[in-house]
Structure formats: structure tokens, C-alpha cells
Amino acid sequence: MLDERIGASFRDPSGFLFQREGTLYRQVNRCYDADYRQLLDSGLYGRLVERGLLISHQEVGIPPAVPEPAYLVIQPERVAFISHPYEWCFGQLKDAALTTLAIQRTALDQGMILKDASAYNIQFHCGRPVLIDTLSFERYQEGRPWVAYRQFCQHFLAPLALMAHTDVRLSQLLRVYLDGVPLDLASRLLPARTRWSPALSFHLHLHAKMQQRHADRGRAVAQTKRRFSLAALRGMMDSLESAVRRLRWRPAGTEWADYYQDTNYDQASFAHKQQVVSRFMEQVAPGLVWDLGANTGVFSRLASDRGIPTVAFDIDPAAVERNYLQCRRQGEERLLPLVMDLTNPSGGLGWGNEERAGLLARGPADLALALALVHHLAIGNNTPLGEVARFLHRAARWLVIEFVPKADSQVQRLLASREDVFPSYTEGDFEREFCNWFTIQAQEKVAGSTRTLYLMARREQGP
Amino acid sequence: MLDHKGPDMTCRCYWSPATVGLLVCLFSCLDGPAHAYLDPGTGSYLLQLAAGVIFAGLFALKAYWGKLTGAARRKAAAPTPDETDGEPQ
């Protein structure tokens, strides 16, 4: 049998993820057996799964991927779409941080502790952040500081503070620094007023200084006799939680935050567009939908409200934040909003460029919605229509796409301050280029507008 | 703890008490499950140790305050003797 190791799962000797015949498994190694038994026997696993904080799993009697160190193999519940922290909006990262701390608290109640606090251990599953690394727990030994404290501050507290106090776009630092934002960098970028916050001052600014001062002094750890009591650890958890909760960001003031107040659809046109998109979707009956340029998810919900797992991508952090807050308010389980610049989508990052999969590697989706998008790519980003078609061919098997002609006011707005160097941006050119990659299954003009909606099926091969 | 089963060797060595003491210190401070794979960072480690007393004190204060306010809430919610008279049988 051919097992495929998962690119991100290699650092922890306790075990690793692998795929066999399309099913995801986690091998648990012998060196982790005592902690694994404690996780189950203490009731911690049950409590966390019941509260929706830890992904559930089943023990399976299949041969391990690497027999020599193996203890057993478990099959975790599958997450519909793997997302990365640099694709999350502020609210998602904050909720992921609070979930990590809640899990830590519960673990301490059962005599265990998190041995890592990586943001990559959290995924959004059925609308909520959940820990997916079952092997993150170890038996708690009182007296030792929290080994994952630095990682928590770099993965969660530092980027959240930067997003809240400096600029929300600084979440993209997590693309460059996969082990979280270095604390000295965060300390330099944060405004001086954050030093008045005792929690940020301690966990970020002073923490950064201590890291720099003791960078080459491993012996200091070996020689100290000091202990870090359970009460101290719980106190530190309270402090971290308080610091995270106090960080807030209001989703307004960005370019696309108020998009739906500013379109040129009247109510009837908008309703007609929704009907056509719904009808096209019912024709395809997709299992996974990507809404590209989703804004606040109005059209994404045509899929997710039908129970179809849907990922709503948008370049604007405020639009994604609003979408996420609505998901949370309404308890939506099938919609995952994410921040994504389609002209620069997440690529393969980390070790071997395979540790964190790029966007297209996580596809294709069954169906992509590309509504009011093509003109932004073709005119706003100077991308030839053929290239747009090639990208969408890789992204999804089916496409519901809206062509927005030059006469439309949204395109006129894009051309207002620049020369029109797009003689090939016409409906005829659009159909010709896309027919190299797709077959047109249906098309319909949106009532009361100059726009046309298409349903397209991917060809096996392009030109 | 990983098992390191190397080749069986016999050697004549002399360990001074200071050396033994340092080794015991090293292993007791750094010992832990082999699967604690993360580097905690020296500065992060020492920062926690330095602030341990403060965090423990804050936690104790919070617990004490919680008990005080809990007791006050229970007292406020408890029925007075007049409220219990005349309850339906």
C-alpha cells in the first residue's frame, strides 16, 4: 500500500498524519503511549470532544505507515477545508487563541498540559475553531514553566496585537514567519501606547527583551532551581486570556467594507441574480463550493444555507470579518470566510514548499462562484482573460461566472483614472477564451443590467 | 523518555561530586517526556520563572475574590424567614 505523508506533520516524534487510499490517519508512536492513555482515561478527550474543542477520532486496526515506532493508528474526523492562520480574519485568529487557552485550562483540570500552542493546530470545523492535533497533550509536571508559552505569544498574541493596534493587514506577517511573528519585530511595530497595557507590556515587550538577552544562555535554564507552580501557570493563563479578550478590531474603513451599499443593482436585478445562481447551483449539486471575491458572503450563503460546505474568499479583511461575525452570531456550520488575494493566493510554504499547501493544491472545488470578479482580475490586475480562465480551470470543476462589460459602472470606475488598454475585454473575447478551458452549459442575462451569468463545466484539458 | 540503547561499554571513569551534582541538576531541570519536542526558548522560560510569584499571587487573589463575591451572592439570594412563611403545602 502506498502511504502519503502529510507535508506539515513531521516535527513531533509522538506521531504523524498520513493518507492511505484517500483516508486520513494519524500514527501514534510508542513514545507517546502513556500520554495517549492518560488523555483517554482521565476523561480529558471526552470532555474536549463534547465541548467541540477537540476533533474526534476512532482507533483503527490497520497497519501503521512506519511499523517500528508505532503504537496504534487513529482516524480523525475530517475537516472540510484546511485553512492557514494567515488566511484568517481578526475574529477568527482571536477565537482560535481563546480556544487554545480554554483547551489548556481544561487539560490542567485533568492533569495534562498542551505541549505546543501552534495556530496551525487549530482548524475551523463546522463553523468553530477546534484543535486537530490529538497528540498535543502531555502529562503535567508541576514546577516546570509552560513550554509552549513563546509559541502562543508568537502565533496568537503578537499578530492579534499588531492587527488591533497597528494595521489589520499585518496578519500577513504570518505568511513570512511560519512560527509566528518574532516578538522583537512585534515589539518594534507596536505603538508606544501598548506599553501602558500591563499584559502586552509583559507578554510581548518584556518577553522580547528577555528573548534577546538570553538567546545564547541555555545554561541559565539548567542552573536555576526556581519552580513554576500550578497557581502561577493558571495565573499566567488568566493574564493571556485577558490580554487576548481586550484586543478588538472594528471592521470598517477598508475599500470593500460597504460594497453591497454601493453596487448598481436594483432590488429586482439582485433577486434575479440570486435566482439564476441558485438554479445553476442546483443543476451541479456540488459537494464543496468556493466563492471567489465573496465580500460578506451574500451569494456564498445560497450554497451554505443548502448545507453545502462553502469557503468564501475575499481580499478585504473587513468584509471577511463581517462575514465571520455573522456566521458566529447565527451559528452557521457550513460557511468558512477567509482572506485571500486571488491575484496573489497563498502558495506552498514552509519546509520543501509543501508544509503549508497553497490554495490551488487544496482544490479543486466542485463549483466556484466568480461573481462580479472577472473585471477586477482582467482590468484591475491587467490579467488577460485567457489567464483568468486557466486559473479558474485549476480552481474548480464547475464555474458560475458573471461577465461584467465595459459599459457597466463598476468597470467604468476602474477605468476612470487610467488609459483603456483593454481592447480585447468584450463578451465575445470572454466566451472565446473561456471556451478553451470550459464548455458553456447555460447562460442568462441578469434582468435590468448589462451583465451575463454563465454556468460552465471544466474541460479535461486546456488548449 | 527516549531509550538510548547504545553498545555495551565498560570504562573506568571517575566522577567528581561537583560533576555528578551538575549532571543531576541538568537532567532534572531539562528532563521531560521525549515528545516535548518544542524549544521553549531560554528567555521565555526564565521570564515565566521570574514572574511566577506574581502570577500565583494574582491567581490566588482572583480565587479569593471569587469566593467573596460568591458568598455575597448566595447571601443575597437566600430567602429571609418572612419569605418562607405561608408557602403552599
Side-chain angles (χ1 to χ4, degrees), chain A residues 12-14 31 35 115-116 138 141 144-147 149-151 202 206-207 210-211 214 217 221-222 224-226 228 231-232 234-236 238-239, chain B residues 1-2 22 25-26 29-53 55-56 58-60 62:
Chain A
D12 188 353
S14 302
C31 62
D35 289 296
K115 64 182 183 190
D116 50 31
E138 64 178 0
Q141 295 177 18
R144 299 175 72 209
W146 188 26
V147 70
Y149 171 56
R150 174 191 62 81
Q151 191 173 56
F202 181 88
L206 182 58
H207 196 169
M210 285 292 278
Q211 278 188 330
H214 296 282
R217 295 181 58 189
V221 168
T224 186
K225 293 270 193 295
R226 277 192 171 176
F228 195 67
R234 288 193 185 277
M236 191 172 77
D238 286 348
S239 173
Chain B
M1 187 77 148
L2 285 174
L22 182 61
C25 229
L26 261 170
C29 288
L30 299 177
D31 187 18
H35 37 266
Y37 67 99
L38 204 62
D39 173 12
T42 307
S44 308
Y45 202 89
L46 293 174
L47 182 66
Q48 293 177 79
L49 290 174
V53 169
F55 283 131
L58 287 172
F59 182 70
K62 177 188 158 192

Side-chain angles (χ1 to χ4, degrees), chain A residues 30-62:
Chain A
R30 271 200 310 279
C31 62
Y32 192 71
D33 63 355
D35 289 296
Y36 177 76
R37 291 263 68 90
Q38 169 90 357
L39 173 65
L40 297 184
D41 297 342
S42 66
L44 177 59
Y45 170 81
R47 284 182 75 177
L48 291 175
V49 168
E50 195 184 348
R51 288 173 60 191
L53 295 175
L54 175 66
I55 204 83
S56 65
H57 72 262
Q58 291 176 332
E59 293 179 8
V60 291
I62 64 166

